[in-house]
Amino acid sequence: MVTAMVNSNTLLDEARELDRTDSLAEFRSQFHIPHVDNIEDLYLVGNSLGLVPRRTADYVQEELGRWANLGVRGHFLGSPNWASYHECLAKPMAELVGAVDSEVITMNTLTVNLHLMMATFYRPTKGRSKILIEAHAFPSDKNAVESQIELHGFSANESLLEVPSNDRGLLETETICKMIEEHADSLALILLPGVQYYTGQVLDMKAITKCARRNQVVIGLDLAHAVGNVAMELHDWEVDFACWCTYKYLNSGPGSLAGCFVHERHARNTALPRLAGWWGHQKDTRFQMTGDFDPIPTAEGWQLSNPPILSLAAIRASLDVFGEAGGMSVLVEKSKNQGAFFRRCLANRLGDQVQAIAPPAISGCQLSLEVKLEGIEGRSVYEALEAKGVRTDWREPNVIRAAPAPLYNRYEEIWKFVDLMVGCLRS
Ligand SMILES: Cc1ncc(COP(=O)(O)O)c(C=O)c1O
């Protein structure tokens, strides 16, 4: 594609105009922007740790206050009280992933939820023990899957099936579906990302799920990089289960609780085997303390423990911001515009010296940038940017991940990032 070269100042004017007319612009002031010596960071790493909304402190403080004033009575006094606090997150969380409220639960952490889901949905037999993942899966997913295979007495060497990426590092729907079809008889589970962490590629979750369902293979999704980034319809696509963290695009704090989706056709089925705990037991009889396990016929039935309320409060604060912003469709529209502007700045200022791995049609907020300049290490560019107050992240072996978040990043910051990159490459 030939891109007409535009003067850098013209791009800066354009960025300022885009910020001036951006209907989400005011949301930036709702976040704390990290800074050094009173100079704001150029923060493009919400794909790793999202920023803290200003209101989060109030929501957390409210629960600390209730704890101080009520002590143990906080479990059942007030609305929401702690025993039911997670319930007020179901609707906003379900909206983010295209689910019915009863299909979503906020609990544990991402890898723990993957294990819990596999305890239910990975039921290998001698002839059908394989799990399909991508060849460059996030390490924790691979660790979880391999340990599940071995826990069931199978060998990861034989039961782990990995989809290769193409020569551009991308996963092709056709390759994935071909492998599902070829191995359908021996596949017990498919576990794939919604958005690939390294490349930022958005997978065709709908088509892949359709293929899995057609071949009667259970499919789970890791949505760590997808939630709050791209629009999804997990219920309509009939995904079996999905898990995600809340500390990236969901701005809910380091190590905050995770989300989990169980399609209602499973969630209603209380006969499904699972790793159980008292918080998954029916609420009206939980405190009779009989020791029986009668699971709640929703995704709540997979809960183990009473959850950490301070973390739930931070998630609630963040989901309220998403709701006020108008939800995923509004955010995705801005993110697409920001992505297009980002690519135009890169092409105009750097030609093909810095390239995004995934093309626009299959990208979300994150651009995974490879430095293609002979003799220049991508990592040294990343470090030079870091020294100038630019927060992105470096992922081995060769990528700078930069992810403008539509809730708090401005177009002008994108322009500035590219301008600083030009400076780094010249020097
Ligand atoms: C794609 C993906 N999967 C899994 C994880 C692990 O998450 P956790 O440490 O919350 O279990 C991460 C963490 O960044 C991730 O990006």
Side-chain angles (χ1 to χ4, degrees), residues 72-88:
V72 72
R73 292 185 303 149
H75 283 300
F76 296 106
L77 265 189
S79 177
N81 55 48
W82 300 330
S84 62
Y85 200 97
H86 66 278
E87 290 170 17
C88 63

Side-chain angles (χ1 to χ4, degrees), residues 108-174:
N108 314 308
T109 50
L110 169 51
T111 308
V112 172
N113 287 343
L114 284 174
H115 275 300
L116 287 184
M117 289 296 103
M118 285 193 275
T120 294
F121 293 106
Y122 178 53
R123 313 294 301 167
T125 58
K126 201 155 180 287
R128 195 169 183 161
S129 68
K130 289 186 183 154
I131 304 184
L132 182 90
I133 63 170
E134 44 145 345
H136 302 287
F138 191 85
S140 199
D141 293 28
K142 190 172 185 205
N143 301 154
V145 159
E146 284 189 339
S147 59
Q148 283 281 339
I149 290 172
E150 280 160 16
L151 196 67
H152 284 279
F154 295 93
S155 114
N157 273 346
E158 283 162 24
S159 295
L160 190 69
L161 207 55
E162 293 178 290
V163 185
S165 8
N166 67 16
D167 52 5
R168 284 170 301 144
L170 299 170
L171 289 159
E172 289 176 359
T173 308
E174 208 186 324

Side-chain angles (χ1 to χ4, degrees), residues 43 45-52 246-249 251-256 393 408:
Y43 198 86
V45 70
N47 58 317
S48 179
L49 182 70
L51 294 180
V52 58
T246 60
Y247 44 77
K248 297 178 188 289
Y249 298 100
N251 307 319
S252 300
S256 199
D393 64 13
Y408 50 77

Side-chain angles (χ1 to χ4, degrees), residues 269-284:
N269 182 357
T270 52
L272 278 178
R274 68 193 75 196
L275 292 177
W278 76 316
W279 223 250
H281 181 93
Q282 291 277 16
K283 295 168 206 175
D284 52 349

Side-chain angles (χ1 to χ4, degrees), residues 13-23 337 341 411:
D13 290 344
E14 194 182 318
R16 288 178 175 159
E17 182 57 16
L18 285 164
D19 283 326
R20 203 185 57 76
T21 55
D22 173 14
S23 64
N337 288 337
F341 181 70
Y411 288 87

